Amino acid sequence: MSIEAPTGDRRWRCAQCGNLTRFDVVRTVRSRDYLHFELSGESRVEEREVLEERIEQVRCRWCGAVDAVESVRRPDSAESGAGA
């Protein structure tokens, strides 16, 4: 399955139940992280640069559908046009 990540002009929608807000996402991320370690050994990520990201699966949280999630235009996006 290959689905685009949501953007300013596009969002996810489940074609089976109409869900627009809740999804379980399995993704692989390759990143460069700047870690800050305390003297105690505790650490936190202070900066993260995503080098590569691949969405492997998107599952609708409402109905459980995996193959029904699609990328659709947002109603207020510039690309949707006046008559859409």
Side-chain angles (χ1 to χ4, degrees), residues 2-55:
S2 177
I3 187 168
E4 298 174 19
T7 65
D9 292 335
R10 302 193 68 80
R11 65 182 176 181
W12 287 337
R13 177 184 179 279
C14 178
Q16 185 167 308
C17 73
N19 171 31
L20 294 168
T21 60
R22 304 284 191 268
F23 301 95
D24 292 316
V25 181
V26 176
R27 62 192 178 119
T28 300
V29 178
R30 191 172 150 257
S31 66
R32 177 181 297 123
D33 297 340
Y34 171 66
L35 301 176
H36 179 145
F37 286 87
E38 301 291 333
L39 294 177
S40 65
E42 299 277 331
S43 68
R44 68 178 180 272
V45 177
E46 289 195 355
E47 293 176 17
R48 171 167 285 158
E49 177 186 357
V50 176
L51 304 172
E52 181 182 359
E53 180 176 12
R54 190 177 84 232
I55 297 171

